[in-house]
Amino acid sequence: MPGNNLTLISPNYATTGQKFGTAALNGGYGLAPTGLVSNAASFTAEGWAFRAPGASSIRVIFGQAQVFWVGHDASGNLAVNIGGGGGAVSMTIPATNICNSTWNHLALTVDVSTGLVQIFLNGTSVASQTMTAAIASMISGAQYGVRSFTINSATFAFEGLVDEVALFSGVRYSSNFTAPTAAYLGSETNLVGLWSLESNGNDTSGAAVSNDFAATNAAFLYSPANWLVSGGVAKSINPGAYFRIGFTGATCTLRFDITNQPAERSVIAYRIDGLGQWIRASVAATVVCTMPSETSGQTNHTLEVIFVASGITQNRWNSPQNTAVVFNGITLASGGTVFALRAYTRRVLFYGDSITEGIRTITGAAADDVSENDARVCWAYETGRLLGVDAGIIGLGGQGLSVGGVGNVPAMHLACNLLWAGQSRDFTGTSMVVVMQGANDGATNTTANWTSFLNTMLAAIPAAAKIVI
């Protein structure tokens, strides 16, 4: 609930170099009301810290005296202490310097049901430990501090910048995650306190009410035959898959499930109000869209999002389809709403291999697939745009009539009627199928193989649809 404001002692703020917003706490420290966490309830404490090298003593970034704190040791390495007095336990953490002139995200989770404590650095779990019942009993009533804690606070005050500190009830992170890419809205689930440190110690949890719209909302217009829209999410394995929607308000945030994404994240591109260049972004739990300055004052906006690239050698056919884009929906500012945009009158499916999904359309010299590829500039997307149709792009690199493609994809006649292994493709409304097959088959590019593929496709598409090869 809002109102858990910090009592600030000798505060000083940096208005340049902050992580989010307009400022970060750069001097002094802040103390929250007591009792924000309980020894009967799990919790998560997190925040951002920045410090140049040169640590000479233990310093606290956030925590509760005699219960837990997160900071660094005398060498500048990440340090976590659980409990106090004779019962204190220092977590064993691989030496990791956080006084490195870089903003670092720190998150501590405490699960009282199991006693498990985990510390995450920039979304990666670096250590875990089980606390004793005696230590767990110390949690209730202790006072939470930012940039220090209540005992010898001035002595242990962190000598750097602290920004966007949050306290949640429950275990927010149980495995590796993507560190937040934007400031919290204040409406996040289980938020107990949010201190953005914008030149004050105000708690802004609950202050901002956002509107979440699930990916299955009827206002979303998805490209045909390459999405599964079900169970509150929309999922596609095909670069070139897109969606459009209208919305109102001054902000728009995309939400994705990145649980199974590999290190080389799939990439989307978005454009608002049809203005300027497309903006590319790796999928993340949240992607905050940049609003164009030319239309920022308007009430109504349009949003277009395209899945443009993925790691082509990663598994994308068999569960859990590592490179799939799993779209959860959008978050708008308070009062924002969504509305449907007009669909094109014709739905055309473009089926092929690497040249259809846009492999090496940007360059052939990059070190990773996602930097080389972009489905927006492949023949299929450009053809659909020029013809004024809703284009369902299904490009599966390396695939042929008789050979499977990269990412565990089977041959065309086995895959063309499936979104991925075991999931039927919906061809409803398809008026034409355009096939652009490369040379992956070699000498096995035979009439028999073409017949097998065409028979499978004819059995799946509407009777009135045409196939063009």
Side-chain angles (χ1 to χ4, degrees):
M1 296 297 293
N4 293 319
N5 296 341
L6 300 176
T7 298
L8 292 166
I9 294 87
S10 304
N12 179 267
Y13 295 92
T15 56
T16 58
Q18 64 274 14
K19 181 61 181 177
F20 299 121
T22 60
L25 189 61
N26 191 37
Y29 55 93
L31 304 176
T34 59
L36 293 191
V37 294
S38 164
N39 56 22
S42 303
F43 65 91
T44 300
E46 64 177 284
W48 290 88
F50 177 100
R51 184 180 173 181
S56 59
S57 59
I58 295 172
R59 298 292 176 179
V60 175
I61 297 169
F62 55 78
Q64 296 188 193
Q66 304 287 33
V67 182
F68 71 88
W69 58 261
V70 176
H72 64 74
D73 62 17
S75 298
N77 292 319
L78 175 64
V80 176
N81 190 272
I82 311 166
V89 175
S90 295
M91 288 182 69
T92 302
I93 303 173
T96 307
N97 194 300
I98 61 170
C99 300
N100 56 358
S101 297
T102 299
W103 277 104
N104 290 295
H105 183 264
L106 305 150
L108 183 76
T109 64
V110 177
D111 187 339
V112 299
S113 64
T114 62
L116 181 66
V117 179
Q118 283 198 88
I119 179 68
F120 296 85
L121 175 62
N122 297 319
T124 299
S125 177
V126 292
S128 62
Q129 191 161 320
T130 301
M131 63 182 176
T132 65
I135 292 175
S137 68
M138 300 177 184
I139 294 174
S140 280
Q143 190 171 30
Y144 189 73
V146 174
R147 213 170 174 273
S148 193
F149 50 35
T150 52
I151 297 178
N152 299 321
S153 292
T155 302
F156 292 104
F158 182 66
E159 296 175 331
L161 282 71
V162 176
D163 205 357
E164 194 72 8
V165 176
L167 184 65
F168 293 87
S169 62
V171 176
R172 185 169 172 83
Y173 311 113
S174 58
S175 59
N176 293 349
F177 61 95
T178 300
T181 57
Y184 285 134
L185 298 171
S187 59
E188 286 72 18
T189 303
N190 297 328
L191 189 61
V192 174
L194 174 62
W195 300 281
S196 299
L197 304 171
E198 299 292 284
S199 300
N200 60 54
N202 292 346
D203 168 24
T204 56
S205 62
V209 179
S210 64
N211 290 337
D212 291 341
F213 297 89
T216 47
N217 189 288
F220 284 101
L221 175 64
Y222 289 97
S223 52
N226 53 15
W227 290 94
L228 176 65
V229 183
S230 176
V233 304
K235 177 179 176 180
S236 179
I237 68 167
N238 295 120
Y242 60 82
F243 64 83
R244 302 195 298 271
I245 196 169
F247 70 95
T248 65
T251 63
C252 179
T253 298
L254 308 175
R255 295 180 282 109
F256 297 93
D257 181 348
I258 56 172
T259 304
N260 297 311
Q261 279 282 322
E264 186 182 341
R265 295 275 180 82
S266 296
V267 176
I268 56 100
Y270 70 87
R271 184 169 62 174
I272 291 177
D273 297 334
L275 295 173
Q277 296 294 316
W278 291 86
I279 299 175
R280 284 173 59 109
S282 298
V283 293
T286 56
V287 176
V288 180
C289 294
T290 300
M291 300 292 290
S293 58
E294 297 91 338
T295 58
S296 60
Q298 293 181 186
T299 300
N300 293 341
H301 301 280
T302 62
L303 169 69
E304 303 169 87
V305 177
I306 304 176
F307 177 9
V308 296
S310 65
I312 60 173
T313 60
Q314 296 285 335
N315 167 57
R316 63 176 168 184
W317 189 254
N318 303 316
S319 180
Q321 294 90 28
N322 301 96
T323 62
V325 166
V326 181
F327 176 56
N328 287 336
I330 62 175
T331 297
L332 305 178
S334 178
T337 189
V338 295
F339 56 92
L341 300 177
R342 186 175 180 179
Y344 291 110
T345 57
R346 294 175 64 88
R347 295 159 66 88
V348 177
L349 172 62
F350 296 92
Y351 198 109
D353 48 20
S354 58
I355 59 175
T356 304
E357 71 169 307
I359 290 178
R360 295 189 175 90
T361 49
I362 298 178
T363 177
D368 59 89
D369 294 329
V370 297
S371 297
E372 291 187 332
N373 309 338
D374 195 317
R376 288 170 304 149
V377 291
C378 77
W379 73 272
Y381 181 79
E382 284 295 307
T383 300
R385 184 179 64 85
L386 292 170
L387 292 177
V389 299
D390 272 321
I393 298 171
I394 305 171
L396 299 166
Q399 188 187 52
L401 294 160
S402 61
V403 298
V406 291
N408 300 318
V409 176
M412 286 174 65
H413 72 281
L414 299 173
C416 62
N417 59 347
L418 300 174
L419 285 169
W420 49 78
Q423 181 60 57
S424 297
R425 189 186 304 280
D426 184 2
F427 291 97
T428 302
T430 300
S431 57
M432 180 179 292
V433 180
V434 179
V435 182
M436 183 72 158
Q437 179 58 36
N440 294 316
D441 291 284
T444 61
N445 190 351
T446 65
T447 300
N449 288 329
W450 273 107
T451 300
S452 180
F453 162 70
L454 289 172
N455 285 338
T456 302
M457 185 64 77
L458 286 169
I461 64 175
K466 303 291 190 296
I467 299 178
V468 179
I469 299 174

